[in-house]
């Protein structure tokens, strides 16, 4: 352990700390960043659960570490197990969805087209990771390579691209329409016959590709396990309806489940096993209306939940994760962790910055690393030479406004799965009707709702379903963690506040707001929404969270 009073060894200055990435995938882009990520990553029991062969889902809110967990598995390369993190982009979703919209596929075909696609991805991954020069002689991978070539060159993908091109010519007037929701609106009788023929061809190619790829994979005798992590489901293309997107993702789920539970386990005489693991938000998982979903979450998932309390956080994974970030940059000296950069001023927990973030963020690794990023940049801007973060920066209006803007931005990103940017701009105006109040009763809420409803009826809003009734709007804001509710026990004890992100558990992925209660705007967004007084010194209300 270092002796700070001897020699020149000193703790790294706050402004010289490396800035953590918002998205873990950024660590995979540069060799040095990958090394940093591996050394500072705090491996928890989540990793052990992920290694179990029946783990098919990583479930967690945005910023909870889903991508980081999968990336660590890929880069760490556990013994006898290879993995690959793949992000499915919106262009790929739209290819499948546009075929369905233009009647080239039924919604039941989504599972088939996803199965063929997933089998191709697994075949490519195994071939790339396992093939060696000796296999050119033994031809161990010749069958799987032929199946991949058939998929790529003579089968599914060219047919999809051709069908999409055809779809654009079959719209009214033969004009291409960029809006997928309007494609194929008017089709003649002759065009209907062409569509039917194209649909049958696509189904044939899908089935042939699936058959060939399954046969090739079944013939392999693997010595290692292979896992493919599927990421990127948090974004929905704005020109694709929620209903169509849900059908497509449900098809992906069905395909993944069928391959993991029926096809891969039945491959004989192979020591190594294959599986797919889907990274998904709790609300999106819930929206799929999966049969027996509670068991799927409990039995086949890693559920990332970092919630802790003021009295317990020192022994919890969130604190250990953030603490390791600081220690790593100081030769893993345990004395150079969180408390070194945020020293306690006194025994009063009101001066504890970790506790402050517990009440002003959603208690996710991304929230803490984002707060650290803001502080580092403020120290750089002011050329502050302190080793620890000075209290003048931590309690400044600038820091708290930037943190509040970040939290509101995270809420916006969450809601963008359901509503467009323009709709978000209208929905968020609800808080303008509060007249700066951060707490209100049910009767006050009804007044605010009625005023807001009248405003929205005149506004240019696409998604009106979320404010149709008072409880729908309240639930919408509750799920986004903009609003919570609180209750005062009859015995006069401390008030309890309920937030969606805190009430969410592995067996309750979609907690409900309570009617006829008292309500409160989330403290972390008040500055961004211009509600209440600005934060000067870390003083906290006496509430249980």
């Amino acid at each position: 352990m270092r002796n700070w009073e001897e020699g020149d060894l000193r703790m790294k200055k706050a402004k010289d700390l490396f800035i953590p990435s918002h998205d873990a995938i950024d660590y995979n882009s540069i060799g040095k960043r990958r090394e940093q990520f591996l050394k500072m990553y705090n491996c928890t029991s989540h990793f052990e659960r992920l290694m179990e062969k029946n783990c098919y889902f990583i479930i967690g809110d945005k910023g909870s570490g889903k991508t980081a967990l999968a990336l660590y598995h890929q880069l760490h390369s556990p013994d006898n197990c290879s993995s690959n993190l793949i992000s499915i982009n919106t262009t790929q979703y739209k290819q499948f969805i546009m075929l369905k919209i233009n009647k080239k596929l039924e919604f039941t075909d989504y599972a088939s087209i996803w199965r063929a696609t997933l089998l191709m991805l697994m075949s490519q991954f195994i071939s790339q990771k396992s093939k060696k020069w000796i296999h050119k002689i033994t031809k161990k991978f010749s069958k799987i390579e032929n199946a991949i070539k058939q998929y790529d060159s003579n089968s599914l993908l060219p047919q999809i691209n051709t069908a999409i091109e055809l779809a654009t010519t079959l719209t009214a007037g033969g004009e291409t329409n960029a809006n997928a929701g309007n494609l194929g609106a008017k089709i003649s009788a002759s065009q209907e016959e062409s569509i039917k023929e194209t649909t049958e061809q696509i189904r044939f190619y899908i089935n042939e590709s699936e058959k060939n790829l399954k046969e090739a994979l079944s013939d392999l005798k693997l010595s290692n396990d292979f896992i493919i992590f599927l990421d990127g489901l948090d974004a929905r293309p704005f020109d694709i309806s929620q209903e169509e997107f849900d059908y497509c993702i449900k098809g992906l789920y069905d395909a993944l489940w069928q391959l993991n539970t029926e096809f891969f386990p039945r491959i004989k005489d192979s020591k190594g096993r294959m599986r797919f693991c889907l990274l998904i938000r709790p609300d999106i998982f819930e929206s799929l209306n999966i049969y027996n979903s509670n068991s799927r979450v409990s039995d086949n998932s890693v559920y990332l939940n970092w919630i802790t309390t003021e009295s317990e956080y020192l022994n919890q994974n969130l604190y250990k994760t953030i603490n390791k970030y600081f220690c790593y940059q100081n030769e893993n000296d345990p004395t150079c962790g969180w408390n070194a950069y945020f020293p306690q001023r006194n025994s009063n927990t009101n001066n504890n910055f970790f506790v402050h973030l517990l009440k002003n963020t959603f208690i996710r690794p991304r929230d803490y690393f984002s707060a650290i990023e803001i502080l580092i940049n403020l120290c750089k801007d002011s050329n502050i030479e302190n080793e620890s973060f000075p209290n003048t920066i931590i309690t400044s209006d600038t820091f708290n406004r930037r943190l509040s803007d970040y939290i509101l931005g995270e809420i916006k990103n969450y809601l963008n799965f359901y509503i467009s940017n323009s709709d978000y701009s209208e929905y968020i105006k609800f808080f303008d009707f509060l007249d700066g109040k951060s707490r209100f009763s049910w009767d006050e809420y009804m007044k605010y709702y009625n005023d807001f409803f009248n405003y929205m009826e005149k506004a240019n809003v696409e998604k009106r379903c979320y404010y149709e009734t008072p409880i729908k709007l309240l639930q919408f804001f509750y799920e986004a963690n903009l609003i919570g509710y609180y209750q005062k026990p009859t015995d006069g004890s401390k008030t309890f506040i309920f937030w969606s992100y805190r009430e969410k558990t592995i067996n309750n992925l979609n907690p409900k707001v309570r009617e006829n209660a008292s309500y409160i705007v989330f403290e972390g967004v008040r500055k961004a929404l211009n509600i209440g007084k600005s934060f000067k010194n870390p003083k906290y209300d006496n509430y249980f969270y």
Side-chain angles (χ1 to χ4, degrees):
M1 188 175 296
R2 299 179 177 190
N3 184 342
W4 303 111
E5 298 179 356
E6 299 179 3
D8 295 328
L9 287 176
R10 298 188 62 81
M11 188 169 76
K12 182 178 285 190
K13 295 177 181 178
K15 71 180 182 66
D16 295 330
L17 294 167
F18 85 80
I19 295 177
S21 296
H22 282 249
D23 193 335
I25 203 65
D26 181 61
Y27 290 111
N28 198 31
S29 58
I30 304 174
K32 183 178 180 181
R33 297 288 278 177
R34 285 196 293 269
E35 181 182 355
Q36 289 175 332
F37 174 76
L38 282 171
K39 289 184 177 179
M40 76 174 192
Y41 186 81
N42 181 37
C43 191
T44 68
S45 58
H46 295 144
F47 185 80
E48 297 173 6
R49 176 68 184 98
L50 186 62
M51 288 296 294
E52 297 178 12
K53 297 183 186 296
N54 69 334
C55 183
Y56 309 141
F57 309 99
I58 302 177
I59 300 177
D61 286 314
K62 286 178 69 67
S64 61
K66 300 188 297 297
T67 303
L69 178 59
L71 180 62
Y72 180 76
H73 191 289
Q74 175 183 307
L75 298 179
H76 180 64
S77 300
D79 292 340
N80 303 318
C81 185
S82 297
S83 62
N84 189 25
L85 174 61
I86 295 176
S87 183
I88 307 172
N89 61 50
T90 56
T91 301
Q92 291 163 318
Y93 296 151
K94 290 178 68 173
Q95 283 186 323
F96 298 165
I97 293 171
M98 288 172 70
L99 287 173
K100 158 69 167 52
I101 289 173
N102 291 282
K103 300 185 180 181
K104 309 298 187 304
L105 295 174
E106 299 294 333
F107 76 89
T108 53
D109 292 326
Y110 277 135
S112 297
I113 198 170
W114 275 118
R115 273 198 307 273
T117 302
L118 294 180
L119 288 166
M120 187 274 293
L121 292 174
M122 183 63 76
S123 300
Q124 286 181 325
F125 179 47
I126 292 174
S127 180
Q128 292 166 0
K129 293 291 290 187
S130 302
K131 186 179 179 183
K132 301 177 181 177
W133 66 269
I134 190 65
H135 296 141
K136 293 183 179 179
I137 301 175
T138 62
K139 297 184 178 180
K140 178 180 179 178
F141 290 92
S142 60
K143 191 169 184 178
I144 198 169
E145 287 178 334
N146 289 335
I148 293 171
K149 288 179 181 178
Q150 183 178 7
Y151 182 96
D152 282 341
S153 302
N154 302 318
S155 187
L156 183 60
L157 290 182
Q159 293 301 320
I160 288 179
N161 292 332
T162 300
I164 291 175
E165 292 174 5
L166 175 63
T168 62
T169 66
L170 294 181
T171 56
E175 296 179 357
T176 301
N177 190 327
N179 186 341
N182 294 329
L183 286 173
K186 298 179 182 179
I187 301 176
S188 66
S190 61
Q191 290 169 339
E192 286 280 7
E193 186 63 31
S194 177
I195 289 174
K196 181 179 179 181
E197 182 179 347
T198 304
T199 302
E200 293 173 353
Q201 289 176 343
I202 291 174
R203 286 177 178 161
F204 172 79
Y205 288 123
I206 291 172
N207 293 333
E208 281 297 298
S209 294
E210 181 179 344
K211 175 185 174 183
N212 293 336
L213 289 165
K214 280 184 173 180
E215 288 179 356
L217 288 170
S218 297
D219 287 346
L220 290 177
K221 310 304 176 189
L222 302 174
S223 57
N224 296 335
D225 291 342
F226 291 86
I227 307 173
I228 291 182
F229 298 104
L230 301 171
D231 201 0
L233 299 187
D234 290 351
R236 176 177 62 86
F238 288 142
D239 53 354
I240 298 297
S241 72
Q242 185 73 52
E243 183 181 29
E244 290 293 348
F245 187 81
D246 287 346
Y247 278 139
C248 184
I249 301 307
K250 180 62 163 59
L252 172 59
Y253 166 86
D254 290 339
L256 179 146
W257 185 258
Q258 191 273 333
L259 292 174
N260 281 342
T261 61
E262 297 179 26
F263 173 62
F264 291 146
R266 294 178 183 176
I267 296 177
K268 298 180 180 180
D269 304 321
S270 180
K271 180 181 177 181
R273 289 297 172 185
M274 298 167 271
R275 63 182 160 107
F276 290 95
C277 187
L278 188 66
L279 283 60
I280 190 168
R281 278 172 23 185
D283 56 309
I284 299 175
F285 188 87
E286 276 283 286
S287 71
L288 300 179
N289 294 319
I290 296 166
Y291 172 73
N292 205 16
S293 62
N294 201 42
S295 297
R296 300 286 185 267
V297 176
S298 299
D299 299 339
N300 305 107
S301 305
V302 176
Y303 179 62
L304 302 181
N305 187 335
W306 302 85
I307 297 300
T308 184
T309 64
E310 180 179 323
S311 60
E312 299 175 344
Y313 75 88
L314 285 171
N315 297 316
Q316 300 299 312
N317 285 327
L318 178 63
Y319 179 81
K320 294 176 183 178
T321 296
I322 309 304
N323 191 61
K324 191 172 182 179
Y325 159 83
F326 292 110
C327 293
Y328 157 71
Q329 298 181 74
N330 290 280
E331 300 181 10
N332 292 314
D333 190 328
T335 66
C336 299
W338 175 274
N339 285 338
Y341 283 94
F342 300 96
Q344 302 283 36
R345 269 58 181 185
N346 52 53
S347 60
N348 188 342
T349 57
N350 287 344
N351 285 327
N352 187 325
F353 186 59
F354 201 95
V355 172
H356 172 59
L357 293 182
L358 285 180
K359 296 184 177 182
N360 284 271
T361 72
F362 301 136
I363 316 181
R364 309 168 304 180
R366 179 181 293 174
D367 298 338
Y368 276 74
F369 284 128
S370 296
I372 292 168
E373 177 190 4
I374 295 170
L375 291 173
I376 292 173
N377 286 329
L378 287 175
C379 287
K380 287 179 181 289
D381 294 342
S382 301
N383 197 28
I384 292 174
E385 298 294 331
N386 299 42
E387 290 171 351
S388 61
F389 291 102
N391 197 50
T392 54
I393 293 292
I394 295 172
T395 61
S396 68
D397 282 341
T398 302
F399 166 72
N400 284 282
R401 179 58 193 236
R402 290 186 186 181
L403 181 64
S404 188
D405 287 341
Y406 155 76
I407 294 295
L408 188 59
E410 289 293 288
I411 292 174
K412 178 178 180 291
N413 289 339
Y414 167 86
L415 291 177
N416 276 161
F417 186 83
Y418 302 102
I419 58 177
S420 65
N421 286 330
S422 60
D423 277 9
Y424 168 82
S425 297
E426 298 298 338
Y427 272 92
I428 206 69
K429 289 179 181 177
F430 169 83
F431 296 91
D432 293 341
F433 291 88
L434 304 187
D435 296 325
K437 295 183 65 174
S438 61
R439 305 184 187 199
F440 46 91
S441 66
W442 172 260
D443 290 339
E444 288 174 315
Y445 168 70
M446 288 302 299
K447 176 184 179 301
Y448 302 146
Y449 170 78
N450 289 329
D451 292 342
F452 178 71
F453 182 90
N454 293 332
Y455 167 79
M456 290 292 275
E457 287 296 283
K458 301 174 184 178
N460 183 20
V461 178
E462 178 185 356
K463 286 290 188 69
R464 300 183 179 274
C465 57
Y466 298 115
Y467 73 87
E468 287 177 340
T469 66
I471 194 61
K472 280 188 176 182
L473 182 65
L474 196 60
Q475 182 67 27
F476 182 69
F477 288 142
Y478 181 68
E479 290 177 9
N481 295 299
L482 281 163
I483 289 177
Y485 67 94
Y486 62 96
Q487 295 178 307
K488 297 180 179 180
T490 56
D491 61 4
S493 57
K494 297 176 182 178
T495 300
F496 286 84
I497 300 182
F498 300 87
W499 300 104
S500 177
Y501 72 93
R502 281 189 172 274
E503 299 305 306
K504 197 176 297 182
T505 66
I506 192 170
N507 293 317
N508 182 20
L509 297 180
N510 187 27
K512 302 299 183 183
V513 71
R514 179 164 295 185
E515 295 184 53
N516 291 303
S518 297
Y519 304 96
I520 182 170
V521 178
F522 185 60
E523 188 170 348
V525 299
R526 291 178 194 173
K527 290 186 73 69
L529 294 174
N530 296 317
I531 290 176
K533 295 181 180 180
S534 60
F535 172 75
K536 292 294 184 183
N537 293 299
K539 302 292 184 182
Y540 305 111
D541 292 332
N542 195 16
Y543 284 94
F544 282 141
Y545 282 78

